[in-house]
Amino acid sequence: MCPAKFDDLFAAGADALLGGRQQSQSPPWDDGPRWGLSAVLRPDPGAAGRLEGIATAVGSIIGPAHWPTGDRISSHFTLRALERHRVSVPATDPALGRYSGAIRVAAADAGPVRLRLTGLTLTSASVMVCAEPVDGNAERLAAGLEKQLGDDGWFEADLVRDIWYCNVVHFAGAIEPDRAAELVDWVAARRSLALGDAVAHNVELVQWVYRDGRIVPTVLFQAPLTVAQNSNPHLFPTANQLPAG
């Protein structure tokens, strides 16, 4: 069952769609507020297939003009957005080394993250699959990354991420009223749809790129989630003691 915040999102999202006020994505631009470099968790292949199935079903209702961000190429759970959008990110950019070091240290102190997929909800801009952490690894990873980033965590310093989710479709244009009503009913009937667990074994630093009418990730760095569940915490060097890259 989705937590109460997902209920609030559904109510507001349904109202927006039925009133023709849904938000539409557009290609990101330099220094834009969305789709900047991010630390993300990618689902295991089985869960990715189930998420893709939901994205495909949504597309069959509202049409193909929208972004299928829940397909196997793009499905993800955002751990933390790190900055505003940059169209070009040079491989020599010093921030990449700092972000990678922070991710490496945080990932080394957390085991694989298991998220239970508990149903669907709407926002004014997307269809989401709701998720709930099965153990403490998700929270431990998020807290560890915040600590390791230090001042580099400025972009979300005032944001509290208190829900986990995967956006399976982002709206990218107008939705006809009858299709909007059909989508609202379809999601409402699946608010508590059990979709099993998604397990992430790595943390990825990704750049979001607009290509072929959609947004897709380019992986710039990847760190394994290596600590076994219920193991004792270990002491690790801070990110600035690690080599960049």
Side-chain angles (χ1 to χ4, degrees):
M1 186 68 178
C2 291
K5 189 165 184 177
F6 288 127
D7 297 335
D8 295 340
L9 287 172
F10 177 81
D15 183 67
L17 261 70
L18 295 176
R21 300 187 307 278
Q22 78 275 357
Q23 300 178 45
S24 294
Q25 299 291 316
S26 58
W29 60 94
D30 250 346
D31 204 37
R34 289 182 53 77
W35 304 107
L37 293 180
S38 301
V40 305
L41 303 173
R42 301 295 297 275
D44 62 275
R50 296 191 295 276
L51 292 167
E52 185 173 69
I54 297 296
T56 299
V58 172
S60 71
I61 296 171
I62 61 175
H66 307 279
W67 295 0
T69 37
D71 68 8
R72 293 174 192 266
I73 297 173
S74 300
S75 59
H76 66 283
F77 302 89
T78 299
L79 180 61
R80 192 179 184 102
L82 299 171
E83 58 179 56
R84 297 171 72 87
H85 183 77
R86 284 192 278 170
V87 173
S88 177
V89 182
T92 56
D93 190 293
L96 294 184
R98 299 196 306 271
Y99 295 155
S100 299
I103 289 170
R104 182 191 296 117
V105 174
D109 196 28
V113 172
R114 182 177 295 272
L115 300 170
R116 186 145 296 152
L117 309 179
T118 57
L120 276 60
T121 195
L122 280 173
T123 76
S124 61
S126 66
V127 177
M128 285 180 175
V129 169
C130 316
E132 295 180 5
V134 174
D135 52 46
N137 282 349
E139 292 87 348
R140 183 179 183 182
L141 176 62
L145 181 58
E146 180 179 17
K147 177 181 178 181
Q148 293 300 325
L149 283 169
D151 291 343
D152 280 327
W154 64 271
F155 187 69
E156 288 196 354
D158 297 323
L159 176 66
V160 177
R161 285 189 175 270
D162 55 357
I163 56 173
W164 292 87
Y165 57 87
C166 174
N167 279 309
V168 290
V169 172
H170 278 91
F171 308 137
I175 301 174
E176 296 178 4
D178 58 336
R179 296 299 180 94
E182 183 179 353
L183 179 62
V184 169
D185 290 344
W186 189 87
V187 172
R190 292 161 177 79
R191 291 283 292 110
S192 300
L193 178 66
L195 290 166
D197 290 356
V199 183
H201 294 279
N202 302 284
V203 183
E204 295 181 359
L205 173 64
V206 300
Q207 177 187 8
W208 293 102
V209 179
Y210 183 76
R211 185 168 60 240
D212 298 329
R214 56 174 301 184
I215 199 85
V216 295
T218 295
V219 179
L220 304 180
F221 177 78
Q222 178 176 279
L225 293 160
T226 54
V227 176
Q229 281 189 350
N230 301 320
S231 65
N232 293 324
H234 299 281
L235 295 178
F236 292 91
T238 59
N240 58 17
Q241 294 173 309
L242 290 172

